Amino acid sequence: MIKITLPDGTIKEFAKNSTPMDIAKSISEGFARNVISANFNKTTVETSTPLTTDGSLILYTFEDTNGKKAFWHSSAHVLAEAILNFYPKAKLTIGPAIDNGFYYDVDLEEDIISDKDFKQLETKFLEIARGKHEFSIRSVSKADALSKYAAEDNPYKVELIENLTDGDITFCDHSDFTDLCRGGHVPNTGIIKAIKITSVAGAYWRGDEKNKQLTRVYGISFPKQKLLTEYLALLEEAKQRDHRKLGRELELFTFSQKVGAGLPLWLPKGAALRGRLEDFLKKAQKKAGYEMVMTPHIGQKELYVTSGHYEKYGADSFQSIKTPKMDEEFLLKPMNCPHHCEVYNFKPYSYKDLPKRFAEFGTVYRYEQSGELHGLTRVRGFTQDDAHIFCTPEQLDQEFKDVIDLVLYVFSSLGFEDFTAQVSIRDKNTPEKYIGDVETWEIAENAIISAATDKGLSFVVEEGEAAFYGPKLDFMVKDALGRSWQLGTIQVDYNLPKRFDLTYKGADNQLHRPVMIHRAPFGSMERFIAVLLEHTGGNFPLWLTPDQVILLPISDKYQKYSEKVLESLENSEIRALADNRNEKTGRKIRDAEVSKTPYMVIVGEKEEQEGTVSVRKHGEGDIGTFTIEEFISLIKTEESKTLKKF
């Protein structure tokens, strides 16, 4: 008999060689019908894998993230088989699950897959799936694996196998199809009921531009057609909310190939919006005791070698900047924290001076691959709302909690109410990925968990997601479409203060190391604005929106009264503009709706005579007639509902 520990802590005994599916059936036949994957002792296994030792078992359904991963990985195998049906000379490479679906990279040589081919691939995919073929994993010797793919003239699989250890190589079989695979599949293809090929793109082998460009076919699948229908409706809504589309329509930002890919240009309205976000945070930071600093866009290479960032980001950095001086080398900065360490080093501090809180909206640069650039969410130059707190170990807990409060204030003021937290710690099995000793890592990790617990945050702990210099608390925010985004991060760092020899004089008159907290409530300004655009659909909170009011005089003779109203609004610090075009009022209203201006003020003879304004609200229509003072009061009240005091 073996003892199996379930997620709720229950321990049950089962016969040796029982499978995860056997255990699922012992819980409930209904539950077992929905189980599609399993994890035994922190290793993904098939539901048909015989269990021979005691251990912890987690059973996954499609509702679980890991269940979806197995489902979509299995679907990638079926897609590969469908592709080979139409392109028998294609060379398969890899086909992983991704956040929404899966892809398979293939070398088609001279052939091309376009959107015209999607339907036949989907039809063949479903034909294969309906065969209810079981996924079966078998071990293969390295020699046999190499022989198979050498015979198929597939250099990609050969390269993968050459980097594997003999004895750890497995193939996955289903139907008449075989693929190199580590495992993690649903029981059989019949579970996959719906498929949509979503797009096709080019992708370099192993992400290296020096390698051959492959064809990447993206898809998504579901266990029910209804789920696919719902997903496609959500996808259509997402297209309408795409920040790149809205950015153009609302004239917030643009890109220029002459300037360079991944380098956004902020237009007047976008720059003003971004400025308001910065002012909003600066005001809260000032109340919280932060001091603003400014640092250069470049730094000597040695600065980033000292911090460890060169080792981490060197391969993703732009080429070094050479100067006329021999052996002098600068880099566009990939992070602000090394600069802030040197700001702290400007003068000696006593424990009485701490904490020191240095904040900066600092622009950093990383050379992202061209194929990975995406609007504002993946760029090569971005600005972080960065701050670094230098404090004593005794101050760490309260300082960390205060930063949590600041992050939650930012979220509440911008309408992000649905979020969870993630404590990202190191992977204990790969210590080479991190700097510093185990003891300080454990202190830092426990400090974050303790603070998050005390603040009542709902959080999960994820191994291997820490920064190379310290653990962190990441905030995962759900937008209006239910998509999850990582926004806001707080990190505890005992290592950079040591690397930069940062000190303060303690009450014992001896020198001590400060603890460093890295924090960025927005994260990247570019990415944050992109997510906010898609979350709100461009309907920003009233305090943030570029134009709060647009005045629509019904003819030229009411422009003078319109100007009077405009002056009153501007004197009350309300952002307003007048549409004095020689267009019909209906056209002006439609254009104002498209621009998502929150309030439209219509003025004509009646309004001029009575000293009033007729008001329409975006998305709602007419809301009545107001005196100018009443309308100003309405705007101020609406602003205060979302922009709370910190």
Side-chain angles (χ1 to χ4, degrees):
M1 301 294 285
I2 56 173
K3 293 181 179 179
I4 301 298
T5 304
L6 299 175
D8 63 358
T10 303
I11 300 175
K12 293 186 176 182
E13 287 193 347
F14 295 91
K16 192 175 182 179
N17 291 318
S18 293
T19 67
M21 186 57 72
D22 293 332
I23 295 168
K25 289 178 179 177
S26 76
I27 296 172
S28 160
E29 286 288 343
F31 173 64
R33 283 193 292 272
N34 291 315
V35 169
I36 59 175
S37 182
N39 183 292
F40 186 65
N41 288 339
K42 298 185 178 181
T43 300
T44 300
V45 297
E46 316 296 309
T47 58
S48 58
T49 300
L51 306 180
T52 59
T53 64
D54 296 347
S56 298
L57 179 69
I58 304 174
L59 298 166
Y60 298 123
T61 70
F62 188 75
E63 297 302 312
D64 302 305
T65 299
N66 285 308
K68 286 185 174 71
K69 184 176 179 180
F71 191 93
W72 287 332
H73 172 61
S74 304
S75 298
H77 282 291
V78 180
L79 174 62
E81 183 181 1
I83 290 172
L84 285 180
N85 179 78
F86 297 105
Y87 307 93
K89 294 182 180 180
K91 295 178 175 62
L92 302 179
T93 64
I94 57 172
I98 53 178
D99 288 344
N100 283 295
F102 54 91
Y103 67 77
Y104 212 109
D105 284 349
V106 293
D107 181 354
L108 294 172
E109 296 186 338
E110 301 303 319
D111 289 323
I112 296 173
I113 293 178
S114 71
D115 54 3
K116 295 177 183 178
D117 303 308
F118 291 179
K119 187 63 181 176
Q120 68 173 7
L121 283 172
E122 291 167 357
T123 300
K124 187 62 181 178
F125 182 106
L126 291 174
E127 179 186 319
I128 296 168
R130 283 193 290 269
K132 297 183 179 180
H133 308 290
E134 291 186 359
F135 288 97
S136 176
I137 291 290
R138 58 186 169 93
S139 295
V140 183
S141 71
K142 189 168 186 175
D144 286 347
L146 287 171
S147 176
K148 169 183 167 56
Y149 285 110
E152 294 180 7
D153 190 26
N154 188 327
Y156 310 102
K157 296 290 190 183
V158 168
E159 183 180 327
L160 292 172
I161 294 166
E162 284 176 342
N163 293 318
L164 299 177
T165 303
D166 200 356
D168 294 334
I169 299 171
T170 53
F171 282 174
C172 175
D173 302 318
H174 79 268
S175 181
D176 297 324
F177 178 80
T178 296
D179 202 357
L180 175 70
C181 185
R182 288 180 296 184
H185 305 91
V186 299
N188 65 75
T189 61
I191 293 170
I192 310 168
K193 303 291 188 184
I195 169 71
K196 180 69 177 175
I197 306 298
T198 53
S199 64
V200 63
Y204 293 105
W205 170 236
R206 294 199 154 180
D208 189 338
E209 292 180 351
K210 296 177 182 178
N211 291 334
K212 186 173 182 179
Q213 189 173 61
L214 308 173
T215 298
R216 177 169 293 178
V217 184
Y218 287 95
I220 192 165
S221 57
F222 293 92
K224 294 180 182 178
Q225 179 62 40
K226 178 185 175 184
L227 294 176
L228 174 59
T229 302
E230 291 173 351
Y231 173 79
L232 293 177
L234 191 67
L235 205 62
E236 187 57 37
E237 175 65 18
K239 287 181 182 178
Q240 299 306 312
R241 289 173 176 258
D242 190 314
H243 74 277
R244 296 167 297 177
K245 172 178 177 289
L246 292 173
R248 287 192 302 271
E249 293 175 354
L250 302 180
E251 299 183 2
L252 300 178
F253 61 89
T254 188
F255 290 89
S256 164
Q257 287 302 315
K258 289 182 179 179
V259 173
L263 300 171
L265 300 172
W266 291 91
L267 304 176
K269 288 184 178 181
L273 180 143
R274 178 172 162 154
R276 275 188 289 280
L277 278 173
E278 291 185 6
D279 291 342
F280 155 74
L281 188 57
K282 284 178 182 177
K283 186 176 180 181
Q285 287 179 163
K286 186 175 181 180
K287 289 183 178 179
Y290 288 81
E291 300 172 279
M292 296 301 298
V293 299
M294 294 180 69
T295 61
H297 289 250
I298 65 174
Q300 288 202 87
K301 176 183 173 181
E302 187 59 34
L303 176 71
Y304 309 113
V305 171
T306 300
S307 69
H309 286 98
Y310 185 77
E311 181 182 354
K312 170 79 172 174
Y313 295 106
D316 298 321
S317 297
F318 286 86
Q319 291 295 309
S320 300
I321 302 168
K322 302 289 186 178
T323 74
K325 185 178 178 181
M326 182 86 60
D327 299 327
E328 190 170 52
E329 194 173 347
F330 287 78
L331 294 175
L332 288 169
K333 65 176 175 180
M335 283 286 187
N336 298 299
C337 29
H339 294 251
H340 288 193
C341 287
E342 289 303 293
V343 169
Y344 180 89
N345 255 339
F346 168 66
K347 66 178 184 180
Y349 292 105
S350 155
Y351 72 97
K352 295 179 181 179
D353 301 316
L354 302 186
K356 298 298 294 182
R357 309 179 186 94
F358 297 132
E360 175 183 17
F361 287 89
T363 303
V364 298
Y365 304 89
R366 297 176 198 165
Y367 188 78
E368 300 285 356
Q369 297 291 334
S370 59
E372 296 181 345
L373 297 175
H374 183 82
L376 295 180
T377 59
R378 200 73 178 264
V379 291
R380 288 174 173 166
F382 56 95
T383 302
Q384 296 176 308
D385 58 320
D386 232 345
H388 297 92
I389 301 169
F390 301 89
C391 63
T392 69
E394 294 76 20
Q395 294 168 332
L396 174 61
D397 182 65
Q398 189 57 52
E399 288 297 312
F400 198 93
K401 290 175 181 175
D402 289 346
V403 177
I404 291 176
D405 289 338
L406 180 61
V407 172
L408 299 185
Y409 167 68
V410 169
F411 288 173
S412 66
S413 294
L414 289 159
F416 290 114
E417 304 294 342
D418 188 358
F419 62 87
T420 57
Q422 174 180 300
V423 177
S424 300
I425 63 175
R426 73 198 187 287
D427 181 349
K428 299 179 181 65
N429 297 318
T430 56
E432 67 278 3
K433 291 170 57 177
Y434 312 99
I435 60 175
D437 59 76
V438 172
E439 183 182 358
T440 52
W441 269 92
E442 289 179 347
I443 292 171
E445 289 168 351
N446 291 333
I448 293 178
I449 291 171
S450 175
T453 301
D454 289 349
K455 295 301 294 184
L457 292 180
S458 172
F459 67 89
V460 295
V461 178
E462 290 289 343
E463 289 188 11
E465 296 298 319
F468 73 92
Y469 48 76
K472 55 183 179 171
L473 180 67
D474 292 324
F475 291 85
M476 319 304 288
V477 176
K478 279 194 175 180
D479 67 12
L481 299 182
R483 299 170 301 181
S484 186
W485 303 85
Q486 191 268 307
L487 295 178
T489 186
I490 318 171
Q491 304 164 359
V492 174
D493 182 4
Y494 281 83
N495 291 305
L496 288 191
K498 183 177 180 180
R499 283 188 166 230
F500 281 92
D501 195 23
L502 307 184
T503 61
Y504 67 90
K505 187 169 286 188
D508 58 1
N509 215 33
Q510 300 297 310
L511 292 180
H512 300 269
R513 295 259 183 246
V515 184
M516 190 174 176
I517 299 175
H518 307 240
R519 50 110 283 203
F522 292 142
S524 152
M525 294 294 292
E526 285 73 11
R527 189 168 184 273
F528 189 89
I529 290 173
V531 175
L532 184 62
L533 257 174
E534 299 198 6
H535 177 58
T536 63
N539 296 302
F540 296 110
L542 188 61
W543 67 268
L544 180 62
T545 193
D547 299 310
Q548 297 172 311
V549 178
I550 186 166
L551 289 136
L552 310 176
I554 63 174
S555 71
D556 292 348
K557 61 182 178 179
Y558 302 113
Q559 283 188 19
K560 189 172 182 180
Y561 179 62
S562 174
E563 290 170 2
K564 177 185 174 182
V565 176
L566 181 62
E567 183 179 3
S568 296
L569 295 175
E570 289 178 339
N571 288 339
S572 298
E573 297 185 341
I574 293 172
R575 297 184 295 282
L577 72 159
D579 184 350
N580 292 322
R581 294 177 300 162
N582 186 23
E583 295 281 359
K584 292 183 178 180
T585 304
R587 170 63 184 273
K588 292 182 178 181
I589 290 173
R590 285 193 297 274
D591 289 347
E593 287 284 354
V594 170
S595 69
K596 302 183 186 294
T597 307
Y599 289 96
M600 289 155 269
V601 169
I602 301 169
V603 293
E605 181 179 4
K606 180 174 180 290
E607 289 78 16
E608 183 179 45
Q609 289 177 350
E610 298 177 356
T612 60
V613 291
S614 293
V615 181
R616 291 177 61 91
K617 192 172 183 180
H618 172 64
E620 294 184 18
D622 295 328
I623 62 171
T625 300
F626 301 81
T627 65
I628 297 172
E629 291 74 20
E630 288 172 339
F631 181 59
I632 290 171
S633 177
L634 183 152
I635 295 290
K636 295 299 182 183
T637 301
E638 184 70 20
E639 274 189 328
S640 65
K641 287 180 181 178
T642 54
L643 186 56
K644 305 174 180 66
K645 290 185 178 181
F646 180 67

